[in-house]
Amino acid sequence: MASDVVSRSAPTYDPGRFEAGWKDEFWLTLVGSLDTLLRSLYGIRQFTDDPHCVLRIGISPARMPVAMSDGTRVRAGEPIGELHLWNEHIPRYSEHGPDLGWAADMRRRILHSLRLLARHADHHPAWQQLAAFRADATLSSRLGDIQIRRLALRHGFELVEPPALPFRQLHALGDSVSAWSLTRAFNPAALPRHRFLRDHHELWISRAMLLRRYAREARKAADAPSHRAA
């Protein structure tokens, strides 16, 4: 899909001007420092220096057994890949909110990031042993489960419901606080458009599906004239 190759450093929409006051700078420094500390503790890191990549990765044990539609089976405790948003690379909303330009730019970045991930998982020994990758999605309930499932399937992911643990609601509250804090720090214009309490979902993609869909696309993108000219 050569048309989705990210080949420009500037966004395809106008994000408007953002005048950061001292409160914004303080919050960004505080949340950014805490985020850096937590990423260090949990082994979450960049796997590329590409400025258009919106994903970071880590390895952790699966918290539950998962059976995926392509036949992939993951046992509880088995190492899996963890996907996290690279907050500094998420395009800011314009002052008018997320428009079609923002959505198109974000979609290109996600597809580009998944191609980079597929290439990394295919070429690095530590990642060749992982059967699947998981991402936590803390989203506004406005999307609805049906829309979330449709979006996940469109990109090769599956929506997996986490087990009903005793402290699940407390964990969901912590995720909402974290999502609010990161949004306030890195994309403050988005805050009025999201509820504080959000729904928690787990999105999974098998290694086989990741390589089948995105490693092939990465090779096509690398061969595309628009990529070579970038």
Side-chain angles (χ1 to χ4, degrees):
M1 298 175 61
S3 61
D4 287 321
V5 174
V6 178
S7 60
R8 291 187 294 270
S9 59
T12 57
Y13 66 99
D14 180 10
R17 297 184 61 186
F18 175 71
E19 300 294 339
W22 71 268
K23 292 182 180 179
D24 299 304
E25 294 291 348
F26 172 77
W27 191 263
L28 180 60
T29 301
L30 177 63
V31 174
S33 298
L34 181 58
D35 185 49
T36 299
L37 176 61
L38 291 175
R39 285 191 283 107
S40 177
L41 289 175
Y42 290 104
I44 302 165
R45 61 181 181 82
Q46 291 93 247
F47 62 97
T48 176
D49 58 0
D50 191 310
H52 300 106
C53 181
V54 295
L55 294 176
R56 290 185 172 111
I57 55 175
I59 297 177
S60 68
R63 293 177 292 188
M64 60 182 180
V66 173
M68 308 188 73
S69 61
D70 66 352
T72 299
R73 299 289 186 270
V74 176
R75 302 182 303 275
E78 180 180 348
I80 58 170
E82 294 276 357
L83 306 182
H84 298 263
L85 287 177
W86 193 335
N87 296 292
E88 295 86 343
H89 287 183
I90 302 298
R92 287 181 180 269
Y93 285 3
S94 74
E95 59 185 1
H96 305 295
D99 55 17
L100 290 177
W102 183 91
D105 187 33
M106 191 63 188
R107 179 178 182 273
R108 278 190 294 269
R109 289 172 186 254
I110 290 174
L111 293 176
H112 181 63
S113 301
L114 290 171
R115 295 182 191 119
L116 292 174
L117 174 65
R119 188 182 309 164
H120 183 84
D122 196 29
H123 290 86
H124 290 75
W127 295 84
Q128 292 173 351
Q129 311 304 317
L130 305 180
F133 296 80
R134 184 186 73 89
D136 281 323
T138 306
L139 303 171
S140 170
S141 61
R142 295 174 187 172
L143 290 176
D145 287 346
I146 295 177
Q147 289 86 346
I148 293 171
R149 192 178 301 275
R150 186 181 298 125
L151 283 171
L153 289 173
R154 185 182 302 170
H155 293 90
F157 285 80
E158 300 181 28
L159 186 64
V160 177
E161 291 299 327
L165 300 175
F167 297 102
R168 181 175 176 180
Q169 290 184 338
L170 185 60
H171 187 270
L173 176 61
D175 285 339
S176 295
V177 171
S178 176
W180 187 93
S181 301
L182 291 168
T183 303
R184 172 64 180 85
F186 295 103
N187 199 356
L191 277 181
R193 296 169 174 83
H194 292 279
R195 298 185 316 134
F196 176 74
L197 293 177
R198 307 185 189 184
D199 293 336
H200 176 78
H201 302 273
E202 290 193 9
L203 303 179
W204 287 69
I205 186 171
S206 69
R207 170 187 167 82
M209 178 64 72
L210 177 73
L211 296 184
R212 182 161 62 247
R213 290 197 58 163
Y214 296 104
R216 181 171 54 188
E217 290 185 9
R219 287 190 292 269
K220 289 181 179 179
D223 293 336
S226 59
H227 186 277
R228 291 195 297 267

